[in-house]
Amino acid sequence: MKDRNRKNILAAGGLWAAAALAAAGCASYAPIEWQSRAVPEAQGLVAVADGKPQQQRYKQDPFQGVKPDWSQYRTYAYTDAKPEIPVTKAAMPKDLQGDAKEGRKIFMNRNLGPCTGCHLIRGEDVWPAGNIGSDLQQYGDAGHKDEEIYQRIFDARVLNPDSIMPPWGASGGLTPQQIMHLVAFLKSQKGPLPPEKDANRDPNTRAKPPGFGDNLDPTNNPAVLLAEEAEADWKKKGSKGKACADCHEASPSKSMKGVGARYPRFVAEHGRVMALEEFLMMHSPATTGIDMPSEGDLNLKMTVLVKMQSNGMPLALDLTGPEAKAALERGEKTFFKRVGQRNHACADCHLDEPGKGGNKFLGGRLLATRESGMMNHFPTWRTNFSRIWDARKRFQWCLLPLGMNYLPSDSVEYAELELYVASFGQGKPLSVPGIRH
């Protein structure tokens, strides 16, 4: 049998048990062991294909074609005991020479970063550049020694323990030769700056995006039409002879009013925190016989339909019980946990603090802050992919550029992370479905 035809499942994230919680010091409640019930491509399984282990990701953009297996780097899984990438002091190799032209190519290479996602350099072709990191257009005038620049790229934490710069050398993301090229390129960024021809090229003068208009205008947001399709599904009977409409009297606009504003929440029946998507995944087959797996089309449509009935209402999560408090604590730890080859945490991009990315540009994207109510508009229509995404798929997508295998969309880890992030939207109105680039 050829390797590409083998279905040798090597690992799966998201399976965890009470013992793992106890080991993590979170014994406030002991959820049941959870096995993913999401659609297969949302489960994040790793299988051998073309002779190499690969994570089985979604078959649509931007996941399609992203083949690396990053199992060696730590993840958000509670059972993952891998440590953070060790802080590494590096000696600049004496037998390697850098080339500034090669260094610029590496700096601009989207498959290697790109570095321009965080830093601005010279050149009208530099688009989009971010401003999370420092402006490097005159970096060569600063008088840094080659050895210092090399160390800063290899592992900046040696010079600044709080740096969010990926440890490119320590993680294996860049080779010593590539780093030497970058050193030569950065030394070349010197002298007076040419006049700026485009204010949008510079992330420090670029206008902030105005948004995408009214979420609920069906001529503006295609996801609204998907919700209308779900109204027909609301009345369809499943293998158990029942439909949603048979148990929930009246229309969704009456029976589901306020329901979406209470999720995520701890669901005692299942012993864990669940977003609405996960509750539907379990509730629908149990009551109607209709499968509604996480990341399935029907699940997304029905989630939008239910949540729309709470639009304009403030998010009203129950954060008072011991289960919710314990979940919030674990979600917060996940938010600050550095993972993947880039060694990044959610906090690195979504805190509006010095040295963090909140309210700054990552490439052409303005990063939202934790406090902005990031979860109040999910599921959201993604204009650049022409698809609707829930918060879990958004989490999974965030982890690709970090060089981390994603967890199953219905994992408890994501549910508790979502609860934590959503808690900052408490009291802010729901507006579902959202629309974003």
Side-chain angles (χ1 to χ4, degrees):
M1 181 180 295
K2 295 181 179 180
D3 284 340
R4 62 175 175 271
N5 293 326
R6 293 167 61 190
K7 295 294 183 182
N8 180 25
I9 303 302
L10 300 177
L15 179 63
W16 62 298
L21 277 179
C26 302
S28 297
Y29 77 92
I32 59 173
E33 184 178 279
W34 189 258
Q35 178 68 54
S36 178
R37 294 160 174 82
V39 298
E41 60 188 10
Q43 294 186 17
L45 299 173
V46 177
V48 173
D50 297 328
K52 295 180 180 178
Q54 296 181 10
Q55 187 171 46
Q56 308 303 291
R57 302 185 174 101
Y58 298 96
K59 295 179 175 58
Q60 308 98 21
D61 288 333
F63 299 90
Q64 183 175 245
V66 181
K67 296 183 177 180
D69 168 40
W70 291 301
S71 293
Q72 69 269 40
Y73 300 105
R74 76 172 180 169
T75 70
Y76 288 147
Y78 292 146
T79 52
D80 189 343
K82 289 190 288 293
E84 186 176 341
I85 295 170
V87 177
T88 306
K89 188 172 184 179
M92 193 175 77
K94 302 297 184 184
D95 58 336
L96 298 177
Q97 299 295 317
D99 180 282
K101 290 184 179 178
E102 291 300 316
R104 193 176 196 276
K105 292 178 184 176
I106 294 168
F107 203 96
M108 297 280 286
N109 189 330
R110 297 183 68 86
N111 293 323
L112 293 176
C115 303
T116 51
C118 292
H119 299 281
L120 179 63
I121 57 173
R122 299 170 185 230
E124 295 178 15
D125 59 332
V126 179
W127 170 260
N131 60 352
I132 298 174
S134 53
D135 186 331
L136 301 177
Q137 295 181 99
Q138 294 178 302
Y139 188 79
D141 291 327
H144 298 295
K145 294 181 179 179
D146 289 5
E147 292 80 1
E148 178 190 340
I149 302 173
Y150 186 89
Q151 178 65 66
R152 196 172 293 280
I153 300 171
F154 194 95
D155 191 343
R157 296 170 299 172
V158 170
L159 304 170
N160 175 12
D162 297 324
S163 174
I164 64 172
M165 173 92 162
W168 291 107
S171 69
L174 293 175
T175 66
Q177 180 62 77
Q178 288 173 318
I179 297 175
M180 288 298 291
H181 289 325
L182 287 170
V183 172
F185 168 65
L186 291 172
K187 297 274 285 190
S188 75
Q189 296 286 286
K190 58 172 54 175
L193 290 177
E196 186 65 69
K197 296 180 179 178
D198 182 1
N200 279 327
R201 193 194 77 93
D202 185 339
N204 298 302
T205 56
R206 185 184 305 153
K208 293 185 177 180
F212 291 88
D214 184 356
N215 286 351
L216 304 183
D217 180 352
T219 64
N220 180 59
N221 187 351
V224 175
L225 301 178
L226 295 177
E228 291 178 3
E229 292 177 15
E231 291 196 25
D233 296 310
W234 179 263
K235 302 173 184 175
K236 287 183 180 177
K237 295 184 184 298
S239 61
K240 295 190 175 183
K242 287 189 174 181
C244 301
D246 291 328
C247 293
H248 301 286
E249 296 182 0
S251 63
S253 62
K254 293 183 178 178
S255 59
M256 293 292 108
K257 193 174 184 63
V259 171
R262 298 195 290 270
Y263 284 86
R265 68 180 181 89
F266 179 76
V267 181
E269 178 186 359
H270 300 295
R272 55 162 289 186
V273 169
M274 288 182 160
L276 180 60
E277 291 91 330
E278 288 147 355
F279 181 77
L280 291 174
M281 177 181 68
M282 303 301 292
H283 181 69
S284 177
T287 54
T288 67
I290 298 174
D291 286 335
M292 207 175 285
S294 172
E295 300 307 324
D297 291 341
L298 182 57
N299 185 300
L300 284 167
K301 286 192 295 185
M302 196 61 73
T303 297
V304 173
L305 176 63
V306 173
K307 279 197 167 183
M308 283 183 71
Q309 313 317 317
S310 300
N311 273 340
M313 299 176 69
L315 190 64
L317 305 178
D318 181 359
L319 305 175
T320 59
E323 299 89 355
K325 290 179 179 177
L328 276 175
E329 182 180 333
R330 288 189 291 272
E332 181 178 19
K333 288 181 179 177
T334 298
F335 186 81
F336 286 92
K337 181 180 180 180
R338 290 186 168 181
V339 296
Q341 187 184 54
R342 302 289 174 82
N343 200 48
H344 274 156
C346 304
D348 293 340
C349 283
H350 297 292
L351 289 184
D352 187 7
E353 297 178 359
K356 305 293 186 184
N359 269 331
K360 295 179 182 176
F361 282 100
L362 175 63
R365 285 184 292 131
L366 186 68
L367 293 174
T369 65
R370 179 185 59 178
E371 286 75 13
S372 64
M374 295 170 67
M375 298 291 107
N376 291 39
H377 59 82
F378 279 100
T380 286
W381 182 262
R382 300 302 306 267
T383 60
N384 46 340
F385 305 121
S386 297
R387 297 186 71 86
I388 189 169
W389 283 11
D390 63 5
R392 303 309 173 75
K393 200 166 191 177
R394 188 64 178 80
F395 286 170
Q396 291 173 319
W397 180 58
C398 270
L399 298 170
L400 289 183
L402 302 192
M404 180 191 125
N405 284 353
Y406 59 66
L407 304 184
S409 59
D410 58 336
S411 67
V412 177
E413 290 89 339
Y414 283 161
E416 298 188 341
L417 174 62
E418 183 175 338
L419 179 70
Y420 173 72
V421 179
S423 71
F424 290 89
Q426 185 85 321
K428 295 183 174 69
L430 261 68
S431 183
V432 178
I435 181 168
R436 298 287 190 279
H437 186 56

